[in-house]
Amino acid sequence: MDAVQATDFAPDCVDAYCSHGECLLALGRPKEATAVYTKAQMLEPKNQAISSDLRVAKDLIHLQSFAERDMEKGDYRRVLFYMDKAIKQVPQCAKYRVYKGESMVMMRNYNEAHEVLGEVLEYQPQNVDALYAMGLCLYYQGNIDDAFVHFEQVLDISPEHEKTNAALEKAQTLATKKEEGNDAFKANKYEEAFDRYTEALAIDPLIDLTNSKLYYNRAVVCVKMNKLMQAIEDCTNAIRLDESYTKAYLRRAKCYMEMEQFEQAVSDYERACEQDRTPEHLQFLQEAKKALKRSTSRDYYQILGVERTASVDVIKKAYRKKARECHPDKNVDSSEEEKAIQEKRFKEISEAYGVLSDAEEKRRYDLEQAMEGAQDAFGGFSKFGTGNVPPQTQRTGRFGHANMFNANQGANPGANQGGRQRYGFASRPFTSSRFTSSRFHNV
């Protein structure tokens, strides 16, 4: 104001115009500054300092215009680029620092944004744009109470502040949708709960911690609706937004157990135990490991529902009956989850028949089963002197005991791989065309 009055009282004073222009640049008003510096230059056309300040003002017009355009477009990286250049020209301009801080918030650089905006508020505690941006930063970090304190400060100073009112309205809408989803779930209205959580997730993609909880809540609903694949996807999204979300790991692990994807379940339970090592979580992990071990040693007789002494004809008859029940053509109208389960069963049945219908394959399989039974009976063959051998020096096979026959030989790159090498013999893999799924399409 003093600079404006000085130019009014002394219209021929160049220093007054320069001071006025400097103030306008510090306020982020380069167009007005350009007009003032132009008047000063008319008074002293050969003054190099005035010419330099005029060029700066004109550059800032373009930088500010580009930044405002890209802020509208949501191209926050470019806004940051332009504001860094502007701040280099006018370090004292709070407006450009607020633009920079808000862009950092939208780019999820919360710590850096907090620092930039904090510096502005330190010397301008009532800067409404800085208060708004700081509130937004806190909101996205999950500090809801502190965020609303900042928003209230803004509205106390400027009740019509557009961005703050929009942020509060969005926050209220999200809270309402979430609460409606919770109420619908408690009332066992799972379709409605799913819809409300989905609507809430669409409101603000940047509020990571809240959206993480919404994804988790929707995953719980999906489990109730028997949509296990959707539940796994939602848990994955919850973890993506919050890697420390133990409940999401546990829920996804449980879904994997239901889908008989035991290896993934073990991985999730291990992560949950790393974050929260409780007796209950350790028990879940042990159960998943046992299920994984059982799944790698399938009982083909049980899969086909026949006795171990069953004849080839009985095995063939049982196979045909089982295969018809879960053949892909029988499940055309089933859900994707059910199709996946039946497809897995069909492959297991095909694999079981492929082994038990071949005399040599059946002999090898029976031998393996007998050896595994002996291993369980004698505690992993510790009586044979392998119990105290350091893990790095043991040579173990699929059966868990030390491979006494190969102890002096090189490592077998095919060990523990798929196909018939699981029995310890090099032979053709189980993926033979004799019993791949394509062979049974006409069952």
Side-chain angles (χ1 to χ4, degrees), residues 257 262 285-296:
M257 292 290 287
F262 302 118
L285 175 59
Q286 291 305 314
E287 290 173 356
K289 286 183 175 179
K290 289 178 182 178
L292 176 61
K293 184 177 180 180
R294 288 194 300 268
S295 72
T296 59

Side-chain angles (χ1 to χ4, degrees), residues 299-322 349 352-353 355-357 362 365-366:
D299 187 336
Y300 289 147
Y301 293 100
Q302 186 178 29
I303 289 173
L304 293 182
V306 298
E307 299 291 334
R308 293 185 177 275
T309 56
S311 65
V312 175
D313 289 339
V314 171
I315 290 171
K316 183 182 293 185
K317 183 177 179 181
Y319 158 71
R320 287 177 173 171
K321 179 181 178 182
K322 294 279 187 182
I349 292 166
Y353 178 68
V355 173
L356 300 184
S357 63
K362 184 175 182 297
Y365 175 72
D366 289 342

Side-chain angles (χ1 to χ4, degrees), residues 43-56:
L43 294 172
E44 293 188 12
K46 296 182 179 180
N47 189 319
Q48 295 299 316
I50 296 175
S51 298
S52 177
D53 290 340
L54 182 57
R55 283 194 298 271
V56 169

Side-chain angles (χ1 to χ4, degrees), residues 102-113:
E102 187 175 346
S103 298
M104 286 178 167
V105 171
M106 304 309 288
M107 293 168 63
R108 292 186 169 91
N109 295 337
Y110 301 125
N111 292 335
E112 295 177 49

Side-chain angles (χ1 to χ4, degrees), residues 42-331:
M42 291 172 64
L43 294 172
E44 293 188 12
K46 296 182 179 180
N47 189 319
Q48 295 299 316
I50 296 175
S51 298
S52 177
D53 290 340
L54 182 57
R55 283 194 298 271
V56 169
K58 289 180 177 179
D59 287 343
L60 289 172
I61 290 174
H62 296 299
L63 291 172
Q64 185 170 321
S65 176
F66 294 152
E68 291 171 349
R69 177 200 64 193
D70 290 331
M71 182 70 85
E72 287 289 326
K73 291 166 57 178
D75 192 347
Y76 304 112
R77 193 172 300 278
R78 291 187 67 83
V79 174
L80 196 60
F81 170 76
Y82 293 129
M83 287 300 95
D84 278 338
K85 295 187 72 172
I87 292 168
K88 190 174 181 180
Q89 298 274 22
V90 193
Q92 69 273 26
C93 182
K95 180 176 181 177
Y96 297 154
R97 291 185 180 276
V98 172
Y99 259 67
K100 178 178 180 177
E102 187 175 346
S103 298
M104 286 178 167
V105 171
M106 304 309 288
M107 293 168 63
R108 292 186 169 91
N109 295 337
Y110 301 125
N111 292 335
E112 295 177 49
H114 199 284
E115 183 178 349
V116 170
L117 295 168
E119 290 176 355
V120 174
L121 290 171
E122 188 173 349
Y123 64 89
Q124 291 187 12
Q126 290 194 317
N127 185 314
V128 291
D129 292 325
L131 285 168
Y132 158 75
M134 181 65 86
L136 198 65
C137 182
L138 293 166
Y139 181 65
Y140 287 150
Q141 286 181 299
N143 299 326
I144 307 299
D145 291 340
D146 289 343
F148 275 74
V149 168
H150 282 74
F151 290 151
E152 288 171 3
Q153 283 183 268
V154 173
L155 296 181
D156 286 342
I157 300 167
S158 177
E160 303 301 321
H161 194 268
E162 187 176 336
K163 286 185 176 181
T164 300
N165 282 303
L168 286 170
E169 183 179 355
K170 185 183 290 187
Q172 184 59 50
T173 302
L174 191 152
T176 300
K177 292 293 183 183
K178 182 181 178 182
E179 191 61 34
E180 288 174 354
N182 294 345
D183 291 341
F185 178 80
K186 292 173 185 176
N188 299 326
K189 299 177 181 179
Y190 301 126
E191 289 282 357
E192 182 180 339
F194 182 93
D195 291 341
R196 297 295 85 75
Y197 289 139
T198 301
E199 290 168 1
L201 282 165
I203 291 172
D204 192 342
L206 290 177
I207 185 164
D208 290 349
L209 294 179
T210 298
N211 285 340
S212 179
K213 291 179 175 61
L214 288 169
Y215 274 121
Y216 175 80
N217 288 357
R218 197 171 71 173
V220 175
V221 172
C222 287
V223 171
K224 292 290 187 179
M225 298 169 67
N226 200 31
K227 295 182 177 181
L228 295 182
M229 292 179 69
Q230 176 72 58
I232 288 172
E233 183 180 342
D234 280 350
C235 286
T236 300
N237 281 322
I239 292 166
R240 174 178 56 82
L241 297 175
D242 181 7
E243 293 183 355
S244 64
Y245 203 168
T246 304
K247 289 173 67 176
Y249 284 106
L250 292 171
R251 176 63 61 179
R252 188 171 69 175
K254 190 173 182 180
C255 291
Y256 280 137
M257 292 290 287
E258 291 288 329
M259 298 284 289
E260 297 186 2
Q261 298 179 23
F262 302 118
E263 188 171 354
Q264 292 92 326
V266 167
S267 178
D268 276 354
Y269 281 133
E270 286 177 340
R271 187 62 183 271
C273 288
E274 288 174 5
Q275 295 181 353
D276 189 11
R277 196 176 182 82
T278 66
E280 184 182 27
H281 296 169
L282 289 170
Q283 182 180 350
F284 289 153
L285 175 59
Q286 291 305 314
E287 290 173 356
K289 286 183 175 179
K290 289 178 182 178
L292 176 61
K293 184 177 180 180
R294 288 194 300 268
S295 72
T296 59
S297 179
R298 296 191 181 97
D299 187 336
Y300 289 147
Y301 293 100
Q302 186 178 29
I303 289 173
L304 293 182
V306 298
E307 299 291 334
R308 293 185 177 275
T309 56
S311 65
V312 175
D313 289 339
V314 171
I315 290 171
K316 183 182 293 185
K317 183 177 179 181
Y319 158 71
R320 287 177 173 171
K321 179 181 178 182
K322 294 279 187 182
R324 287 193 188 98
E325 291 174 358
C326 56
H327 191 278
D329 292 345
K330 294 280 187 179
N331 297 283

